[in-house]
Amino acid sequence: MSWFINNTNVVIALSNIGTLIVWLIYAQLLYFNFRRQRRPRLVIRRAGGNGLSATCVISNMSAEPIYISYIISEVKYKGKNITSDVTDVIKSGHGEPAAEGGGNSVDYRQGPMLSGGYMHIGQYRDLLLKTIELEEGANIDEIIENTESVTVYIICIYGSEDKPIGAYRKYFLISNEDAVMMRPASWDTIRLSSMRKRRRLKKEVLNRGEESG
C-alpha cells in the first residue's frame, strides 16, 4: 500500500493507459462489426446440377437491399472474350430466348432485391447461347465444344452508396464422354467493392448509358 501511495501518479497513468487500450479494442470491434454489416455480399451459384442445364441464381446476402443495374454474361469462345447484356431477356411463348417481336414477352431483371432475396436468371446454357448470338443453322454442340468458360457479372447499387458495386463468378467448361460440366474458377463469388474497381464499374455503367435520377 505504501508503494501505491508513494507512486500515485504512476498508478493513475498506468490505469489511464489501460483504460485507453480497452476502449481502443472495443472501438475496433465495433468498427469491424459495423463494416461487416455494411459490406455488400452477393452470391452467384448454380442450382439443379453442375452442367449447362443448371440455373444461375443470384442472392443478396447484404444487410440492406440492392438495386440491380446490369447483368453481364461473358463467354470465352475460341480464345476470344465475348460479352452480352442479359439484364432484360426477350422470351418466346415457350420461355426460350428469342428475337424481338412476334408477341414475345420480356423478362425484366433490373430492379431492387431485398436483403435475403434471390433471383433466377435462367440456365447457363441459355446465357452462353445468347452471348454468342447464334446465326440460323448454327451447330449448338460445336459452339459449346469451343467454349472455354462462362462468367456472370452483376453491377448494382447498394443502399445509399454513390458508386456501384459488382460481383462475378466464372465457370470453366469441362467435357467428358457423357456431358459438359461446369467447374467454378473460385470457391466463392468474387466481389468488386474496392474504390478502384468501383470507379471502373461506374465508368462501365456510364458507357452503357445509365443516367442518374
Side-chain angles (χ1 to χ4, degrees), residues 2-197:
S2 61
W3 184 90
F4 281 99
I5 295 173
N6 295 329
N7 298 276
T8 303
N9 293 334
V10 176
V11 173
I12 293 175
L14 292 176
S15 177
N16 291 336
I17 293 174
T19 303
L20 178 61
I21 293 174
V22 170
W23 276 108
L24 287 175
I25 295 175
Y26 183 68
Q28 190 176 36
L29 292 175
L30 288 177
Y31 170 74
F32 285 148
N33 184 59
F34 173 78
R35 189 177 67 173
R36 181 181 61 83
Q37 292 180 350
R38 288 287 302 166
R39 184 176 60 183
R41 180 82 165 95
L42 299 175
V43 179
I44 302 172
R45 303 284 293 182
R46 297 170 302 183
N50 55 7
L52 285 172
S53 60
T55 300
C56 181
V57 180
I58 301 171
S59 302
N60 177 25
M61 305 306 295
S62 310
E64 296 185 22
I66 61 170
Y67 184 92
I68 295 180
S69 297
Y70 289 104
I71 302 176
I72 309 297
S73 173
E74 181 181 86
V75 173
K76 190 169 186 180
Y77 177 68
K78 292 184 177 181
K80 298 181 179 180
N81 291 326
I82 305 173
T83 60
S84 176
D85 187 342
V86 294
T87 311
D88 301 327
V89 177
I90 301 173
K91 292 185 175 182
S92 66
H94 300 288
E96 297 294 335
E100 187 172 0
N104 298 318
S105 61
V106 181
D107 183 10
Y108 295 102
R109 296 162 179 168
Q110 186 181 66
M113 182 185 297
L114 298 177
S115 175
Y118 64 93
M119 173 192 299
H120 298 170
I121 65 170
Q123 295 181 348
Y124 286 90
R125 180 178 183 273
D126 294 336
L127 295 176
L128 187 161
L129 298 181
K130 183 182 187 304
T131 304
I132 298 297
E133 294 184 352
L134 297 180
E135 297 180 355
E136 186 176 353
N139 189 321
I140 296 178
D141 293 334
E142 183 179 348
I143 290 175
I144 294 176
E145 183 179 349
N146 286 280
T147 299
E148 299 178 33
S149 63
V150 177
T151 307
V152 177
Y153 289 88
I154 309 298
I155 302 177
C156 59
I157 302 297
Y158 177 61
S160 59
E161 297 286 339
D162 295 328
K163 293 183 176 65
I165 62 169
Y168 72 92
R169 192 82 185 273
K170 182 177 183 178
Y171 296 90
F172 294 109
L173 270 62
I174 308 298
S175 300
N176 55 34
E177 296 180 357
D178 300 325
V180 177
M181 313 302 289
M182 294 193 306
R183 186 185 68 191
S186 58
W187 180 84
D188 198 3
T189 305
I190 306 299
R191 290 183 292 116
L192 303 173
S193 57
S194 67
M195 293 302 297
R196 180 177 61 86
K197 292 178 180 178

